[in-house]
Amino acid sequence: MAADPDIVLNTAADPARAAAWLPITRSAEDAAEHYEIRLSADEHLVRWRPHGADTWSGWLRVTESGAGASEAELGVHDSGELDADALRAALDRSLHGLAGEVEQNFNVS
């Protein structure tokens, strides 16, 4: 992503932006209500877990990749309801959603 790691982490940890990037199985509008999102800035991590019975939990690690850019790594724990291809597609959508949110809200054109 073309943004500093702190910007990416803060964007990911913002509950108001959760629907744009969390790989959720519920409706996107409910993301902030159904997930606890925790920022561990010193570890460069954002962790999320469901409140209740939703099946997704996971983490996002953001590292610097030079020249004001970042690399994001996403991991999830699911109930096994998705096959490997569907899971990969959900994670891909998630990272693209986060990149779009970072670009839309923080990058100067």
Side-chain angles (χ1 to χ4, degrees), residues 43-74:
E43 297 178 289
H44 305 284
L45 276 174
V46 173
R47 291 184 179 95
W48 72 91
R49 67 178 187 170
H51 297 295
D54 199 287
T55 59
W56 292 90
S57 65
W59 51 267
L60 172 78
R61 180 180 308 276
V62 181
T63 56
E64 185 176 349
S65 64
S70 302
E71 186 173 310
E73 179 184 3
L74 185 64

Side-chain angles (χ1 to χ4, degrees), residues 5-87:
D6 290 336
I7 292 172
V8 177
L9 281 170
N10 289 329
T11 301
D14 183 348
R17 293 185 172 89
W21 75 272
L22 277 176
I24 59 174
T25 57
R26 295 176 183 246
S27 69
E29 296 79 35
D30 295 338
E33 288 179 32
H34 293 284
Y35 287 88
E36 174 187 337
I37 302 168
R38 294 179 314 171
L39 172 63
S40 298
D42 58 327
E43 297 178 289
H44 305 284
L45 276 174
V46 173
R47 291 184 179 95
W48 72 91
R49 67 178 187 170
H51 297 295
D54 199 287
T55 59
W56 292 90
S57 65
W59 51 267
L60 172 78
R61 180 180 308 276
V62 181
T63 56
E64 185 176 349
S65 64
S70 302
E71 186 173 310
E73 179 184 3
L74 185 64
V76 296
H77 307 282
D78 77 312
S79 66
E81 66 189 48
L82 297 177
D83 65 37
D85 289 336
L87 184 57

